[in-house]
Amino acid sequence: MAQTAPVHPVDEVPPVRHLAAFGLQHVLAMYAGAVAVPLIVGGAMKLSPADLAYLITADLLVCGIATLIQCVGFWRFGVRLPIMQGCTFAAVSPMVLIGTTGGGLPAIYGSVIVAGLAIVLLAPVFGRLLRFFPPLVTGTVILIIGISLLPVAGNWAAGGAGSADFGEPKNIALAAFVLLVVLCVQRFAPVFLSRIAVLIGIVVGLAVAVPFGFTDFGGVGDADWVGISTPFHFGAPTFEASAIISMLVVALVTMTETTGDFIAVGEMTDRRIDARSLSDGLRADGLSTVLGGVFNTFPYTAYAQNVGLVGMTRVRSRWVVATAGGILVLLGLLPKLGAVVAAIPAPVLGGAGLVMFGTVAASGLRTLTQVDFKGNNNLTVVAVSVAMGVLPVGVPTIYEKFPDWFQTVMNSGISAGCVTAIVLNLLFNHLPAKGTSPASGTSGAPEADGLPGGGVEEGVEKPREETV
């Protein structure tokens, strides 16, 4: 009898009850970040509460559609990995500037549509750059992603940036309690429950938070039952040159960040990214960004929060995240459900976020174990790249005197570290070393450990699919 080929874990479809639980867990992990972008941009533009609510429901709807495109895919759109999509924070500062200097939301949406089309066109170019992402670069970028996200979890644990009780011991205690629940479930519970440890931690934390007055569900009663986002609700888009240029810079930054996230998930799921799948994933990002401009929301990218969740739970099915996308679509169409999720207090998310984001950083360290650090400059590449990635996280105002385009690139620790890692890898491992003949690529005398003087990392010159 002919045997059927085994299904890769990425393509497995879990039972419906597991899909619902795992999918809801992904939604809760990214919800706060998803609604933060419309809240920040709308708040800076002094929009009315009704318009703010409209932005949030539109954002959730397109988040869900973008996630479905990325996970399920069609034709050459979608990386077909467990990738959650959400609004990129890299676009917040440029969009606030565009919206508050006279252009308003129509100018924002015009620049977002152009940026999305540019991403679609540039996706094949980025796909051909994959050979410049060996384990040295990818491990460093994944490590920086995790480190850059930890302050987000810290702000949540303290009560949420800007909250009146920020840093109160009760907030830290609630976050620590949720973290303890997550760890205990992961260590002692049966296998299925351990895989939804984050969901259980959030539910238990919410059950404790309500009687202690951390949150209330008053906003649920005020929310509408049904809300549908219509194209160009705030007016026809306008296309202003300065707005478009700034958003194109954002597009390059988000493509770089998304590439790092794709590679990280590929490592965690044992389905490594190749040039074609990277192009398909970036092309889906571009399409989702165009939809964002049409349906009154913003540019989209892969969410690193959920990368950590994939690594922590070891649930690799893309259909789980596709289910999460379906839940987001429901939240976007049913604002009352969205208000229930929005009532989860920040410290509860912070406790769960600490372990998720730490998992991303640990995954980067695991990838770096594949790299040879003897007799070469690879340690310098990692050291300087991590330093450049952490710098804007630790000192957020360090680049405030620089031009806007420079701040857009360097204020994101992920893009700053990624660009640094790529450049230093080219400098130390691709250019001819001192005493090396460009024609031969080797030096006359080996070093003490038998390595040639150039110190090229093993696997750097090979395509990623040949490197283990």
Side-chain angles (χ1 to χ4, degrees), residues 132-290:
F132 297 117
F133 287 85
L136 173 65
V137 173
T138 59
T140 303
V141 171
I142 297 168
L143 175 61
I144 293 169
I145 291 173
I147 294 174
S148 299
L149 287 172
L150 285 173
V152 176
N155 280 323
W156 288 346
S163 62
D165 61 348
F166 186 86
E168 289 284 343
K170 64 176 185 178
N171 292 334
I172 307 296
L174 178 59
F177 171 73
V178 172
L179 175 60
L180 181 64
V181 171
V182 171
L183 294 176
C184 288
V185 170
Q186 195 168 16
R187 173 63 182 86
F188 299 109
V191 173
F192 169 68
L193 292 180
S194 69
R195 290 180 173 175
I196 56 171
V198 170
L199 176 61
I200 293 174
I202 291 174
V203 171
V204 172
L206 182 60
V208 171
V210 172
F212 281 95
F214 280 90
T215 187
D216 64 73
F217 293 93
V220 177
D222 298 331
D224 295 329
W225 279 104
V226 179
I228 299 176
S229 180
T230 55
F232 307 126
H233 173 79
F234 294 99
T238 59
F239 302 93
E240 300 180 8
S242 59
I244 290 172
I245 292 171
S246 63
M247 204 57 65
L248 289 176
V249 175
V250 170
L252 294 175
V253 172
T254 56
M255 291 177 80
T256 304
E257 293 182 352
T258 298
T259 299
D261 291 332
F262 285 170
I263 293 172
V265 174
E267 298 278 354
M268 292 175 180
T269 58
D270 294 326
R271 176 175 280 180
R272 287 181 167 82
I273 293 291
D274 56 23
R276 174 172 176 142
S277 57
L278 174 59
S279 299
D280 293 349
L282 292 174
R283 201 177 282 112
D285 259 14
L287 175 60
S288 301
T289 298
V290 172

Side-chain angles (χ1 to χ4, degrees), residues 130-131 133-135 267 272-275 370 457-468:
L130 193 60
R131 71 188 188 91
F133 287 85
E267 298 278 354
R272 287 181 167 82
I273 293 291
D274 56 23
Q370 305 172 22
E457 176 208 347
E458 182 180 357
V460 167
E461 300 292 351
K462 299 177 183 179
R464 278 192 52 80
E465 55 267 24
E466 296 179 17
T467 304
V468 178

